[in-house]
Amino acid sequence: VSLTAKEFKVLAELMRRVGRFVSKAELETALYDAAAEVESNTIEVAVYGLRRKLGSGVILTARGLGYMVPQPE
Amino acid sequence: MTRASGSLLAALFGRVGLLFAVIVLAVGSVAFITAQRRIDEIYDGQLIIGANVLRALMAEELRQQGPNGAEETELQVDDSALLSPEDRAAFDNYADWRMFRVWRGGMLVLRSDTGPVMTAPPISDGFADQETPQGRWRVYTLHVPGKPVVVQVGERTNIRLVLVRGIALGLILPLLALIPTAGVLIWLGLQDGLKALRTLIAEIGRRTMRDLSPLALEPWPRDLHPLVRSINRLFARIDRALGNERRFLDDAAHQLRTPLAAVKLQAQLIAREDDPAERRALTAQLVAGVDRAAALTDRLLTLAGLEARQATGESGDLRRETVAAIADLAPVAARRGVELSFEGEGAFPSGDPMLLRLVAANLVENAINHAPAGSEVLVRLARRAEAYELSVMDAGPGIAASERPRVTERFFRGSSAASIGSGLGLSIVAESLRLLGGRLELRDRPDAGSGLWAMVKLPEPQPQNAAFPD
């Protein structure tokens, strides 16, 4: 599976805080280090890409809380 | 509690005995002092009278023996003739414990055989105590006005002491004699008073574990009523607790029987199945069944733990625990195709974090379990007047108004509820809220759609952690 740099950053940030929700703003802050510019839909695009490549159950979302990689059961 | 051990009877007896001794002592002292004063007054009065009588008696003798009968101061009298023989005999009757002296012109002209020896007449009038080897004397001195004559009358002081002692002993002795009698009476009275307590103890001692019926108030003295009431309240609490335990065990056994029967059936099917693919499928079902039984056991243990739990002083944050509960349940929601949505910013400092998590987790799980696929479960936190509001809204079938009062009972499943869930979730919420001082309200969704709106109200911890009144 090949990930783009942004997808990798987003996944790394979510994995670092596995089992907890990470807000879109927090993910954007994490991405600022990698990319000079973060567009308004950058996170959505990265998550969409990750779900497509890894499966829909890997990244969960809750409106108002953000994204999360759940604890392995 | 200051007295850790010891006999109540002995302590009561000791105190009453001490009180009695103090009373006897006080009565004796007061009697002694009062009697002494009165006797001193009376006896001193008699000495004054005695001195005046002696003077009056002498005056007659002095006049008879005057050279011209006019100038009493010039009288030359013979000592022996100062008193008539009758008068002298009368004074001699006192001989032993009374004394008298008559001085004239500084010379002792007349004296009784008793009393202290004096070589010179006294200077001042009035009372004086004089010590002799034979004892103490109280002497009254009277200067006859206008004449060089001094009359003294005295008596031994110990005669007064004997009298005072006699009076005081007369009062104290009957009291002292009463002490053993009073002791026996007090002891018997206390024994009788405590008999009711002993009977009560015996009555309670005879009770078996199963007999927790309240004690009647009537046969017991009024003083024991508070004790009887306390014991009855304790009985009632134990009875409730035992009833809860029994029902809990019955319910738990009943609820665990079904998943265990399913597990057994699946195990038997696996044993008969030869096809590896079928065996795998059946094994997966078996594992799921065991998981359900394990989950049910967990919840039963949680509920049992909550019922025995006392409120702790720990403080957590309602938002943190709610978000953590949503994170835990997000995979379940994803599997069921239910969207999760959260509103609520800032800190919500509140009580015991474990209880807060149980409240949030059970409400959200309930909502996920009853929400149809594709629908949304909305969790919202808000601050209201002196309270936090946690609402969880789903688009499920809801709970009929008539069933709402019963949904917090253990293992209660509403008529419209699917077979999902243990029937323990809302019981756990209710128990947790009891400990947190909060309350649960169940309503219909405020918008047009069907669904349940579960709302928890928790008191804000400031200024003090006051619970909602019922």
Side-chain angles (χ1 to χ4, degrees), chain B residues 28-73:
Chain B
S29 307
V30 170
F32 188 85
I33 293 165
T34 313
Q36 194 169 37
R37 257 189 219 152
R38 293 280 167 271
I39 283 168
D40 274 347
E41 280 170 20
I42 292 166
Y43 275 58
D44 282 354
Q46 282 184 0
L47 284 181
I48 295 169
I49 293 167
N52 282 296
V53 167
L54 188 58
R55 189 194 69 172
L57 291 171
M58 277 190 334
E60 192 186 334
E61 309 297 330
L62 288 168
R63 254 197 311 277
Q64 282 174 3
Q65 293 189 8
N68 48 25
E71 291 293 323
E72 285 174 347
T73 48

Side-chain angles (χ1 to χ4, degrees), chain B residues 231-313:
Chain B
I231 289 169
N232 282 343
R233 279 197 293 275
L234 181 65
F235 277 175
R237 280 204 296 275
I238 294 172
D239 197 34
R240 263 201 308 280
L242 283 178
N244 281 346
E245 294 293 315
R246 270 197 294 275
R247 259 183 290 121
F248 188 79
L249 270 179
D250 290 351
D251 289 351
H254 181 75
Q255 295 295 320
L256 278 170
R257 197 178 297 139
T258 316
L260 286 177
V263 165
K264 187 182 171 191
L265 184 66
Q266 278 155 349
Q268 285 168 339
L269 286 173
I270 290 167
R272 284 188 212 149
E273 188 55 62
D274 293 327
D275 179 24
E278 273 299 311
R279 281 180 81 119
R280 270 197 298 280
L282 282 169
T283 307
Q285 282 179 27
L286 175 68
V287 169
V290 171
D291 281 348
R292 275 197 298 278
L296 180 61
T297 312
D298 279 351
R299 293 190 156 218
L300 281 169
L301 289 175
T302 302
L303 192 55
L306 282 179
E307 281 171 356
R309 193 179 167 100
Q310 301 288 316
T312 66

Side-chain angles (χ1 to χ4, degrees), chain B residues 410-425:
Chain B
R410 283 182 303 209
F411 301 114
F412 179 82
R413 284 197 182 89
S415 53
S416 62
S419 59
I420 322 152
S422 57
L424 290 174

Side-chain angles (χ1 to χ4, degrees), chain A residues 19 21 60 62-65 68 70 73, chain B residues 323 327 330-331 334-335 340-342 376:
Chain A
F21 281 105
L60 304 178
R63 193 159 59 80
L65 290 175
M68 179 186 82
E73 283 187 42
Chain B
V323 169
R335 276 199 296 276
L340 290 173
S341 176
F342 177 82
E376 183 189 59

Side-chain angles (χ1 to χ4, degrees), chain B residues 40 127 141 166 176 212 284 287 337 344 367 406:
Chain B
D40 274 347
F127 290 99
T141 303
L176 286 176
L212 291 169
V287 169
R406 292 193 57 204

Side-chain angles (χ1 to χ4, degrees), chain B residues 357-435:
Chain B
R357 176 80 77 99
L358 281 174
V359 170
N362 280 285
L363 288 179
V364 174
E365 186 174 15
N366 243 13
I368 292 171
N369 283 343
H370 294 98
S375 71
E376 183 189 59
V377 167
L378 172 62
V379 182
R380 191 160 52 200
L381 268 176
R383 275 182 205 83
R384 299 279 179 261
E386 290 167 17
Y388 298 147
E389 253 179 33
L390 165 67
S391 7
V392 180
M393 227 180 288
D394 64 53
I399 298 175
S402 58
E403 288 176 345
R404 281 177 201 161
R406 292 193 57 204
V407 290
T408 53
E409 289 175 19
R410 283 182 303 209
F411 301 114
F412 179 82
R413 284 197 182 89
S415 53
S416 62
S419 59
I420 322 152
S422 57
L424 290 174
L426 289 179
S427 306
I428 292 173
V429 171
E431 268 306 309
S432 304
L433 286 176
R434 182 181 65 80
L435 292 167

